[in-house]
mmCIF file of all heavy atoms in Angstrom:
data_model
loop_
_atom_site.group_PDB
_atom_site.id
_atom_site.type_symbol
_atom_site.label_atom_id
_atom_site.label_comp_id
_atom_site.label_asym_id
_atom_site.label_seq_id
_atom_site.Cartn_x
_atom_site.Cartn_y
_atom_site.Cartn_z
ATOM 1 N N ASN A 6 -71.297 16.179 -24.888
ATOM 2 C CA ASN A 6 -70.267 15.234 -25.315
ATOM 3 C C ASN A 6 -70.924 13.993 -25.912
ATOM 4 O O ASN A 6 -72.090 13.693 -25.635
ATOM 5 C CB ASN A 6 -69.417 14.795 -24.116
ATOM 6 C CG ASN A 6 -68.520 15.902 -23.605
ATOM 7 O OD1 ASN A 6 -68.201 16.843 -24.328
ATOM 8 N ND2 ASN A 6 -68.111 15.784 -22.351
ATOM 9 N N THR A 34 -75.142 26.788 -25.767
ATOM 10 C CA THR A 34 -74.289 26.500 -24.615
ATOM 11 C C THR A 34 -73.738 25.085 -24.768
ATOM 12 O O THR A 34 -74.383 24.209 -25.349
ATOM 13 C CB THR A 34 -75.057 26.623 -23.287
ATOM 14 O OG1 THR A 34 -76.131 25.687 -23.315
ATOM 15 C CG2 THR A 34 -75.588 28.018 -23.070
ATOM 16 N N GLU A 115 -60.387 4.001 -49.507
ATOM 17 C CA GLU A 115 -59.264 3.331 -48.827
ATOM 18 C C GLU A 115 -59.712 2.072 -48.096
ATOM 19 O O GLU A 115 -58.892 1.223 -47.758
ATOM 20 C CB GLU A 115 -58.571 4.287 -47.852
ATOM 21 C CG GLU A 115 -57.632 5.273 -48.516
ATOM 22 C CD GLU A 115 -56.655 4.622 -49.465
ATOM 23 O OE1 GLU A 115 -56.051 3.577 -49.135
ATOM 24 O OE2 GLU A 115 -56.506 5.158 -50.580
ATOM 25 N N PRO A 139 -53.530 -0.486 -37.407
ATOM 26 C CA PRO A 139 -53.937 0.723 -36.686
ATOM 27 C C PRO A 139 -53.113 0.900 -35.416
ATOM 28 O O PRO A 139 -52.517 -0.056 -34.916
ATOM 29 C CB PRO A 139 -55.405 0.453 -36.351
ATOM 30 C CG PRO A 139 -55.521 -1.041 -36.339
ATOM 31 C CD PRO A 139 -54.541 -1.548 -37.362
ATOM 32 N N VAL A 214 -53.411 14.767 -24.184
ATOM 33 C CA VAL A 214 -51.996 14.616 -24.550
ATOM 34 C C VAL A 214 -51.256 13.769 -23.513
ATOM 35 O O VAL A 214 -50.369 12.991 -23.857
ATOM 36 C CB VAL A 214 -51.352 16.021 -24.704
ATOM 37 C CG1 VAL A 214 -49.850 15.921 -24.878
ATOM 38 C CG2 VAL A 214 -51.978 16.748 -25.892
ATOM 39 N N ARG A 301 -52.879 48.609 -57.022
ATOM 40 C CA ARG A 301 -54.038 47.823 -57.513
ATOM 41 C C ARG A 301 -54.661 47.018 -56.368
ATOM 42 O O ARG A 301 -55.886 46.928 -56.246
ATOM 43 C CB ARG A 301 -53.587 46.868 -58.628
ATOM 44 C CG ARG A 301 -52.970 47.545 -59.839
ATOM 45 C CD ARG A 301 -53.924 47.698 -61.005
ATOM 46 N NE ARG A 301 -54.551 46.472 -61.440
ATOM 47 C CZ ARG A 301 -54.138 45.739 -62.462
ATOM 48 N NH1 ARG A 301 -53.069 46.092 -63.150
ATOM 49 N NH2 ARG A 301 -54.800 44.667 -62.831
ATOM 50 N N GLY A 308 -62.251 48.339 -51.633
ATOM 51 C CA GLY A 308 -63.642 48.202 -52.072
ATOM 52 C C GLY A 308 -64.328 46.954 -51.562
ATOM 53 O O GLY A 308 -65.504 46.715 -51.873
ATOM 54 N N LEU A 347 -48.596 51.948 -44.960
ATOM 55 C CA LEU A 347 -49.964 51.429 -44.961
ATOM 56 C C LEU A 347 -50.646 51.875 -46.247
ATOM 57 O O LEU A 347 -50.889 53.064 -46.455
ATOM 58 C CB LEU A 347 -50.712 51.961 -43.733
ATOM 59 C CG LEU A 347 -52.126 51.429 -43.552
ATOM 60 C CD1 LEU A 347 -52.132 49.926 -43.291
ATOM 61 C CD2 LEU A 347 -52.817 52.165 -42.404
ATOM 62 N N VAL A 373 -42.507 46.867 -47.741
ATOM 63 C CA VAL A 373 -42.142 46.147 -46.513
ATOM 64 C C VAL A 373 -40.765 45.523 -46.723
ATOM 65 O O VAL A 373 -40.447 45.046 -47.813
ATOM 66 C CB VAL A 373 -43.211 45.071 -46.217
ATOM 67 C CG1 VAL A 373 -42.818 44.222 -45.023
ATOM 68 C CG2 VAL A 373 -44.569 45.722 -46.006
ATOM 69 N N SER A 395 -35.454 42.499 -56.258
ATOM 70 C CA SER A 395 -34.842 42.898 -57.529
ATOM 71 C C SER A 395 -34.812 41.812 -58.585
ATOM 72 O O SER A 395 -34.730 42.110 -59.773
ATOM 73 C CB SER A 395 -33.407 43.373 -57.286
ATOM 74 O OG SER A 395 -33.436 44.455 -56.393
ATOM 75 N N ALA A 467 -51.702 10.583 -45.444
ATOM 76 C CA ALA A 467 -52.457 10.536 -44.183
ATOM 77 C C ALA A 467 -52.419 9.141 -43.572
ATOM 78 O O ALA A 467 -52.444 8.987 -42.344
ATOM 79 C CB ALA A 467 -53.907 10.959 -44.429
#
Side-chain angles (χ1 to χ4, degrees):
N6 289 338
T34 60
E115 282 310 315
V214 172
R301 300 260 306 262
L347 184 65
V373 175
S395 301

